[in-house]
Amino acid sequence: MNTVQQDVDERTKLTSSNKFEMLLFRLGGDASGERSELFGINVFKIREIVAMPPVTAMAGAPQHVMGVVNLRGQIIPVIDLPAVTGCIPKTGHNIMLVTEYARSTQAFAVEGVEEIVRLDWKQVLSAENSAAGGMVTSIARLDDDVNGQRLVQVLDVESILRMVMPTHDGEMTPDNVGPQVKLKPGTMIVAADDSFVARAMIEQGLQAMNLPYVMCKTGQEAWEKLQSINAECVAQGRDIHDKVALVLTDLEMPEMDGFTLTRMIKQDPKMRALPVVIHSSLSGATNEDHVRTVGADAYVPKFVAEDLAGTLRRVLGEYGQTV
């Protein structure tokens, strides 16, 4: 038990240095049986890895849902990840990855697991327009050398889940976000998320709440935007709070993660008073504790429209950003 706790503590400390651990796995080859690309997922999202158990088919199950399994009394849906990505496993669906996203549990069937690697988020580059049909959020270089040839595709699991098992829970409309919010004139929200689906939902919500915003795809892009805004404010003899009301950020993002972005904001003398709300599918007590240690003002799990809207409204009010 002590060894397990030490492993958890060590992985948790990685977030203070813009690093993380990724599980590498394979899904199979293409239709001709060629190529078997590497795919990856953040270790923090994986609850356990088990040999593929018997799957009970469900009548009327969505496409690519193989069925359900009973894992120690919990009924979990199993998604055929090779089929979703257009891969054909050469040896079958041998491994099941049990994951936790936004406080929900599901499993993904894969062909095989390779290893766990430790990476810097700077080794991960945005790749929305990849050949995987928009299901790859980024490409990670497994070698520190920028010319390294070992690459892994990081799947946008949020998009895959929404595609395979559609739900309206996260949709943000005027009907479920409550009254519109009036910000102080001239201010806006700076938001960051690497998932196309997440960005679309966030934009939908901010528009429904009548909140002006600028959307970024990575933590690095958001940080550079904040620095640019701050430079403009300094040149005009103004405070950054006259232009930025709040920062809304995901945790997992290429180049710079949300933990690092939040920490840099809170350590900057001119920005530290900016409210930061973290909106992430990385759920669990460990991650939520970490959110508090880096100085974030609130944490909201994806995707619960009412919770996100309520948290934004509360934090903006507490910081006097509304009129």
Side-chain angles (χ1 to χ4, degrees):
M1 181 62 72
N2 288 337
T3 301
V4 172
Q5 185 60 51
Q6 288 172 359
D7 289 343
V8 171
D9 291 343
E10 184 177 354
R11 286 182 176 137
T12 301
K13 291 176 183 177
L14 290 176
T15 57
S16 64
S17 57
N18 203 40
K19 297 180 185 293
F20 72 110
E21 288 188 331
M22 179 184 292
L23 174 71
L24 307 182
F25 55 90
R26 295 190 186 273
L27 302 177
D30 55 24
S32 61
E34 301 298 323
R35 302 179 65 83
S36 181
E37 305 290 358
L38 271 176
F39 293 88
I41 185 174
N42 193 326
V43 169
F44 264 129
K45 290 185 174 178
I46 298 175
R47 198 177 79 182
E48 57 185 308
I49 303 170
V50 298
M52 194 68 195
V55 178
T56 301
M58 293 189 304
Q63 184 182 20
H64 303 318
V65 174
M66 300 172 66
V68 296
V69 297
N70 184 345
L71 192 62
R72 291 184 295 280
Q74 183 178 12
I75 305 301
I76 301 173
V78 181
I79 297 171
D80 186 342
L81 199 51
V84 171
T85 57
C87 296
I88 301 174
K90 296 179 181 180
T91 62
H93 300 80
N94 304 313
I95 301 294
M96 188 174 77
L97 308 180
V98 182
T99 64
E100 290 186 349
Y101 280 84
R103 293 175 177 160
S104 68
T105 302
Q106 54 282 311
F108 293 95
V110 303
E111 181 177 36
V113 168
E114 294 283 310
E115 60 180 316
I116 292 176
V117 294
R118 184 167 296 183
L119 301 174
D120 190 300
W121 277 109
K122 292 181 180 179
Q123 294 172 243
V124 184
L125 305 177
S126 180
E128 287 189 344
N129 299 319
S130 71
M135 290 178 285
V136 172
T137 186
S138 51
I139 301 291
R141 296 193 309 266
L142 298 184
D143 306 307
D144 289 334
D145 183 357
V146 295
N147 296 315
Q149 299 301 306
R150 297 182 65 215
L151 302 176
V152 58
Q153 301 178 66
V154 183
L155 291 175
D156 187 346
V157 182
E158 293 166 6
S159 295
I160 291 173
L161 286 175
R162 300 288 294 188
M163 178 188 71
V164 175
M165 297 186 294
T167 173
H168 299 291
D169 292 344
E171 293 184 3
M172 300 184 69
T173 67
D175 293 333
N176 62 14
V177 301
Q180 292 188 344
V181 179
K182 291 185 178 180
L183 289 182
K184 291 169 58 178
T187 61
M188 64 180 176
I189 306 293
V190 174
D193 201 298
D194 68 324
S195 168
F196 173 80
V197 168
R199 287 199 305 275
M201 294 175 67
I202 292 169
E203 290 180 350
Q204 180 188 54
L206 295 178
Q207 291 167 8
M209 296 177 72
N210 195 36
L211 292 172
Y213 65 89
V214 58
M215 181 62 72
C216 304
K217 297 180 181 179
T218 71
Q220 182 67 38
E221 183 183 344
W223 176 242
E224 290 173 357
K225 183 64 178 178
L226 288 169
Q227 288 182 306
S228 175
I229 294 173
N230 186 59
E232 292 177 5
C233 290
V234 170
Q236 298 169 2
R238 302 173 65 186
D239 191 280
I240 192 171
H241 300 85
D242 295 331
K243 292 191 174 183
V244 179
L246 178 145
V247 177
L248 176 66
T249 180
D250 187 20
L251 286 181
E252 293 183 288
M253 293 181 289
E255 301 177 19
M256 179 189 293
D257 66 11
F259 288 121
T260 302
L261 173 62
T262 302
R263 188 169 57 253
M264 293 179 71
I265 291 171
K266 295 302 184 179
Q267 290 177 351
D268 188 291
K270 290 184 171 60
M271 300 187 197
R272 63 174 51 145
L274 285 177
V276 178
V277 173
I278 289 180
H279 183 227
S280 175
S281 59
L282 276 180
S283 55
T286 299
N287 289 300
E288 294 183 32
D289 286 344
H290 227 41
V291 164
R292 286 187 283 272
T293 62
V294 296
D297 297 271
Y299 168 87
V300 186
K302 294 177 179 176
F303 290 101
V304 182
E306 294 83 353
D307 288 354
L308 177 57
T311 299
L312 291 177
R313 188 175 285 105
R314 173 179 61 79
V315 174
L316 287 167
E318 289 176 353
Y319 276 79
Q321 293 290 352
T322 56
V323 295

